Amino acid sequence: MVSLWAGPSIGKTATETAVDQLFSGKAIGETRAIVVLQDGKPVIERYAPGYGPDNRFISWSMAKSVTSTLLGTLVAAGKLDLNAPAPVPAWHRDPADPRGKIKLIDLVYMSSGLAHSETGPPVEGADTNRALFSDESNDAAAAAEAAQLKYAPGTRFEYSTLTTVILDDIIVRTIAPGATTPAARRAAMQAFLHDALIVPSAMASLVCEYDAAGTMLGGSFCHATARDWAKFGQMYLDNGVVGGKRVVAASWVAFVRRQSPTNPAYGGQFWLNHPGNAEGHPALFPDQGPDDLYSAIGHLGQYVMVAPSKHLVVVRLGKTPDGERSGLLPALGALVNSFPDAK
C-alpha cells in the first residue's frame, strides 16, 4: 500500500499502481524511497524495508545540481560571469594555453573540450575513478584541471564529473580567495553551502563530502533524506523561492532548464526530458512527456524530477544497474503521467 506523508487517500489508482511497479516490478532494480509533492504538498511517501524518513541517501550525480545551485548564487550576485573565461589559474599562466578560452558556461554545459574518460574502459583507469577513489584522489580539482584540451570549447558534449569538481574549485576560490589550506577551503565552502542552501531551503540533512585538498566533491557525494531531496525539487518548482524568500535567482532557474547548445537533453547541470543520452542511456522519458520536466539525476537511478506543467516533484532513490534503466524510466514516466496537468 502507498503510505501517505500527508494528504487524502488516493485509493487504488494509476498512481498507486505506478508506485507499486517501482517497488516490485521486474527490470526496475531496487527502489528504496519515493516521495511525491503536488502543489507543494506531500501526497506520497514510501520506503523499502530497512529505509525510512531519517535515512540520508547518496546523491551520486544529483550533486551536480547542488553545485549548479551554488554557482547560480554567485552568478546572480555578479561575482562570476558565465560568458567569461573560466577562472582557473592553471589555464591562464601561459597566454598560449588554449584552455584559457574555456568559458565558465562551457563547464556548466559539459562542453569544455577537455580530454576526459568518465567510466573507462578500463574502469580503474577512468579519469573520474582515479580522481575520486584512487591515485589522484588527494586533489581531485588539480587532476581535473590538468587535463589537456581535446576539442574546441563549446563544440562537443562530454559528460564529466570532473568538470563539476572544477566548478566546485571555482566556487571556493571565488568566495574565499585567501583560503589556501585544505581546512580553510573546506570551512569556507561548508559555510557557503550552509548559508546559501541548507538553511534557506530547510534541507537540514544535506551533507556533502570533501577531498583532502578541501574541495567539495559536488559532482557525486552529497547526502540527504528523501524529504529534503523533495524540498530541493520544490524550490526549483517554485521558481527559486522557499517560504516566501528567494533562494535561487529566477534567471538561474530559467537557465538550468534551457537546452545546452551541444546536447538537447542537458541544461545547466540538470537533465531535460528531451531526446538525448546520459552515460549512453536515455536520460529520462521524452516519448512519454511532459516536455517541460527536468531532473537532477544520479548514478544507479537517483532522480529529483520537477514537472512545472503538473505542479509536481517526484523523488526516486535506489539502486538500478545501467542494464535495468530501460525498465525504470518507463515506470517513472508512468508515475509522473498518472498526475494530470495543472489547471
Side-chain angles (χ1 to χ4, degrees):
M1 179 178 178
V2 175
S3 62
L4 298 176
W5 180 5
S9 174
I10 59 174
K12 195 67 175 180
T13 63
T15 297
E16 186 174 18
T17 299
V19 173
D20 287 344
Q21 176 70 11
L22 283 163
F23 277 94
S24 60
K26 295 181 179 180
I28 297 293
E30 179 187 350
T31 295
R32 296 172 177 171
I34 295 284
V35 174
V36 178
L37 309 180
Q38 187 177 39
D39 293 321
K41 299 176 181 179
V43 293
I44 299 169
E45 184 176 32
R46 179 169 166 180
Y47 298 92
Y51 299 92
D54 296 330
N55 286 110
R56 285 189 176 100
F57 295 85
I58 189 169
S59 63
W60 293 113
S61 286
M62 293 196 306
K64 293 177 173 67
S65 302
V66 173
T67 291
S68 173
T69 303
L70 298 178
L71 187 76
T73 298
L74 297 177
V75 171
K79 296 181 179 180
L80 286 171
D81 181 351
L82 283 175
N83 294 305
V88 176
W91 300 347
H92 298 282
R93 295 187 183 117
D94 180 355
D97 191 329
R99 297 174 300 179
K101 295 182 180 179
I102 299 172
K103 295 179 181 179
L104 183 60
I105 198 169
D106 297 328
L107 294 171
V108 178
Y109 279 155
M110 298 284 187
S111 60
S112 68
L114 293 171
H116 178 70
S117 170
E118 180 72 8
T119 58
V123 171
E124 65 274 12
D127 297 331
T128 294
N129 291 335
R130 291 180 64 191
L132 295 183
F133 306 112
S134 185
D135 59 311
E136 296 179 337
S137 59
N138 282 338
D139 194 338
E145 292 161 5
Q148 297 303 300
L149 200 67
K150 187 175 181 179
Y151 306 102
T155 63
R156 181 185 176 98
F157 180 84
E158 180 77 34
Y159 187 79
S160 168
T161 293
L162 296 191
T163 293
T164 309
V165 172
I166 295 172
L167 293 176
D168 288 313
D169 184 44
I170 289 171
I171 291 170
V172 75
R173 289 178 185 274
T174 301
I175 62 174
T180 57
T181 67
R185 284 166 57 87
R186 175 173 178 151
M189 190 67 163
Q190 183 60 28
F192 183 54
L193 177 66
H194 180 270
D195 295 344
L197 182 57
I198 292 175
V199 170
S201 69
M203 293 178 67
S205 70
L206 179 63
V207 174
C208 296
E209 299 183 40
Y210 297 78
D211 69 8
T215 303
M216 191 176 90
L217 297 173
S220 306
F221 296 135
C222 292
H223 309 257
T225 64
R227 290 179 180 180
D228 277 358
W229 285 123
K231 289 177 184 177
F232 184 74
Q234 188 66 41
M235 176 176 67
Y236 273 90
L237 182 62
D238 288 339
N239 204 32
V241 174
V242 178
K245 297 182 179 179
R246 179 153 301 281
V247 180
V248 182
S251 58
W252 192 257
V253 176
F255 168 74
V256 304
R257 298 175 55 192
R258 192 177 305 143
Q259 288 182 324
S260 68
T262 55
N263 187 343
Y266 202 69
Q269 305 269 300
F270 285 77
W271 289 94
L272 314 179
N273 198 25
H274 300 162
N277 288 337
E279 300 178 4
H281 301 270
L284 289 162
F285 34 86
D287 56 326
Q288 294 172 265
D291 182 67
D292 65 348
L293 181 143
Y294 61 109
S295 183
I297 299 179
H299 179 53
L300 298 176
Q302 322 312 314
Y303 298 87
V304 176
M305 295 177 285
V306 180
S309 59
K310 295 178 180 292
H311 294 183
L312 195 69
V313 173
V314 175
V315 174
R316 187 272 184 177
L317 304 166
K319 184 180 180 181
T320 299
D322 288 345
E324 297 179 7
R325 200 174 305 181
S326 60
L328 173 62
L329 289 173
L332 289 172
L335 174 57
V336 168
N337 288 293
S338 71
F339 290 87
D341 288 349
K343 296 179 180 179

